Amino acid sequence: MNIIGVVGWKNSGKTTFIVKLVKLLTSRDLSVSTVKHAHHEFDIDRPGKDSYLHRKSGAREMPVSSGRRWALIHELRGAEEPPLDELLGHLAPVDLVIVEGFKHYTYPKIEIRREQQTAPTLAPGDPDIVALAADYTPPDTTLPVLPPGEPRIAAGFVASHFGFSL
């Protein structure tokens, strides 16, 4: 299964980046599913919420996970949150899975950075980060830097990384 993650701190633009990427990739006849990690209790498919936006953007499936439940709806009733590998096992085969969050897992990731960000950067300590999507030129990296508002460039990078043709 081809998996790419999008990681970064709260309000860095992860969901906006993913939605644009999913729309573009699915418009090119790639099948895409997404997995979103939530750090709080959630309800699914309410207009304006991230899971709703992921699904509406063209994702084939949309598991969402938090410490209380994960969906295609499955109440955890106090049980531990399932690991990413278990969630991925529930997905039908697709060309690509885009994961939002789960930043401590091992899989290729794109880190979203904002120039005004005060939180520490993730890439120096995470060898699985393969690119940055940043609204500035970070001086501390040799990784490819993708403009977050240019989904075609990000889609080209992802396609090249996995050997897809767009």
Side-chain angles (χ1 to χ4, degrees):
M1 186 175 288
N2 295 308
I3 302 166
I4 189 84
V6 176
V7 297
W9 299 104
K10 184 177 181 177
N11 297 321
S12 61
K14 296 180 301 291
T15 298
T16 300
F17 182 83
I18 290 169
V19 167
K20 289 177 182 178
L21 189 57
V22 169
K23 283 181 181 179
L24 185 61
L25 292 171
T26 57
S27 76
R28 304 285 168 85
D29 294 326
L30 286 175
S31 58
V32 178
S33 290
T34 63
V35 178
K36 175 172 173 45
H37 187 264
H39 292 284
H40 49 79
E41 193 169 322
F42 64 88
D43 289 317
I44 62 169
D45 275 344
R46 291 183 12 222
K49 293 295 183 182
D50 291 348
S51 60
Y52 182 85
L53 294 172
H54 282 227
R55 186 177 60 77
K56 285 296 189 181
S57 71
R60 191 166 289 175
E61 291 184 332
M62 182 54 226
V64 180
S65 179
S66 79
R68 299 226 170 199
R69 65 181 67 99
W70 69 274
L72 303 159
I73 303 181
H74 180 94
E75 290 292 329
L76 293 175
R77 307 234 186 262
E80 289 289 318
E81 176 182 355
L84 178 58
D85 291 347
E86 184 178 325
L87 293 171
L88 293 171
H90 290 282
L91 297 178
V94 292
D95 297 317
L96 179 68
V97 176
I98 301 174
V99 176
E100 180 177 341
F102 292 96
K103 65 180 157 240
H104 300 294
Y105 284 78
T106 301
Y107 59 91
K109 302 171 197 133
I110 298 171
E111 178 184 353
I112 305 289
R113 289 191 192 175
R114 297 292 180 198
E115 190 165 21
Q116 74 277 8
Q117 175 178 311
T118 58
T121 58
L122 302 171
D126 187 344
D128 295 315
I129 294 178
V130 296
L132 305 175
D135 60 359
Y136 68 107
T137 303
D140 62 341
T141 189
T142 58
L143 294 171
V145 179
L146 313 170
E150 298 289 338
R152 282 181 171 48
I153 294 172
F157 175 83
V158 170
S160 174
H161 186 81
F162 291 108
F164 298 143
S165 59
L166 292 181

